[in-house]
Amino acid sequence: AQRVTQPEKLLSVFKGAPVELKCNYSYSGSPELFWYVQYSRQRLQLLLRHISRESIKGFTADLNKGETSFHLKKPFAQEEDSAMYYCALRRGGTSGSRLTFGEGTQLTVNP
Amino acid sequence: KAGVTQTPRYLIKTRGQQVTLSCSPISGHRSVSWYQQTPGQGLQFLFEYFSETQRNKGNFPGRFSGRQFSNSRSEMNVSTLELGDSALYLCASSSLDRVRYEQYFGPGTRLTVT
């Protein structure tokens, strides 16, 4: 069975500071990893996917298979980044859509 | 493109009753997944339907069931409601694109069981 762990429930940084949201996973196969974000009063939406190796809103995440991690990073946090962030895993090579989510990290960026 | 829609948005039910929630996926999406979100358990997968067939199922009791229609719209049903079923129920639809794979979530239905 797969599992996703986000060790920090709450994370608070100042505007302009670097931010890193941690995500670790356990899965014996080859996973697909995602970061989802939920802004206040908005629906859950995809931030980025590891397979695309893209940078969205200044955020990047690298899949480290050795450490089974997929940490989300941004060099300079902005106040509008304040939101709930979820790391999610999908079994690789599958046609199914089942996502396993971490518990989430509430990020607050202070002015 | 219109997003995923869910009805109703809010629902209050009494223990022992049953409830049906509805989800309309994005046009062209054939996969619909359901999740339960609670403060204590976070986001938990309920089940997925694809082309009117249940393709995946999470670890929920048989009181939770679902179905999908030929137009890809989906419903989930919870029978004999318990207080612990109070949660936000999210529906998500996805296409088959592997590289640009993404689940698009609806706004959710807030169910309160009293």
Side-chain angles (χ1 to χ4, degrees), chain A residues 10-84:
Chain A
L10 302 171
L11 187 60
S12 183
V13 300
F14 285 102
K15 177 182 171 182
V19 63
E20 181 180 47
L21 289 84
K22 291 184 168 51
C23 171
N24 290 92
Y25 67 90
S26 63
Y27 176 57
S28 55
S30 185
E32 293 180 21
L33 274 297
F34 306 85
W35 276 99
Y36 277 81
V37 61
Q38 191 166 30
Y39 300 102
S40 179
R41 297 196 183 93
Q42 293 187 28
R43 62 183 69 187
L44 198 60
Q45 57 186 284
L46 178 69
L47 180 62
L48 51 79
R49 53 174 79 79
H50 94 268
I51 200 168
S52 302
R53 301 185 66 80
E54 56 203 343
S55 173
I56 304 292
K57 298 183 179 182
F59 284 98
T60 59
D62 289 316
L63 179 60
N64 186 323
K65 292 186 177 181
E67 296 183 358
T68 60
S69 68
F70 187 57
H71 303 327
L72 183 67
K73 300 176 184 178
K74 184 169 183 176
F76 307 103
Q78 302 300 314
E79 289 180 66
E80 55 266 30
D81 296 328
S82 295
M84 190 73 167

Side-chain angles (χ1 to χ4, degrees), chain B residues 12-96:
Chain B
I12 299 175
K13 289 286 188 178
T14 305
R15 268 182 305 174
Q17 288 185 316
Q18 74 162 18
V19 67
T20 299
L21 312 181
S22 181
C23 171
S24 292
I26 290 173
S27 177
H29 286 187
R30 291 160 60 192
S31 168
V32 174
S33 299
W34 289 88
Y35 295 84
Q36 183 195 64
Q37 187 175 26
T38 59
Q41 300 296 318
L43 279 152
Q44 291 191 294
F45 174 80
L46 280 155
F47 30 65
E48 179 205 359
Y49 284 86
F50 179 78
S51 292
E52 302 179 63
T53 302
Q54 188 180 86
R55 183 158 68 173
N56 279 299
K57 189 177 190 308
N59 297 323
F60 279 82
R63 299 185 297 108
F64 291 81
S65 63
R67 59 177 175 168
Q68 187 179 35
F69 302 94
S70 58
N71 62 357
S72 294
R73 190 177 69 84
S74 177
E75 289 181 347
M76 70 162 279
N77 184 277
V78 188
S79 62
T80 319
L81 283 166
E82 301 177 0
L83 294 178
D85 297 333
S86 294
L88 181 67
Y89 289 88
L90 295 174
C91 166
S93 75
S94 59
S95 66
L96 300 178

Side-chain angles (χ1 to χ4, degrees), chain A residues 36 43 49 86 95 97 99, chain B residues 4 37 55 101 103 105:
Chain A
Y36 277 81
R43 62 183 69 187
R49 53 174 79 79
Y86 293 95
S95 56
S97 292
L99 290 177
Chain B
V4 177
Q37 187 175 26
R55 183 158 68 173
Y101 177 82
Q103 282 197 24
F105 284 83

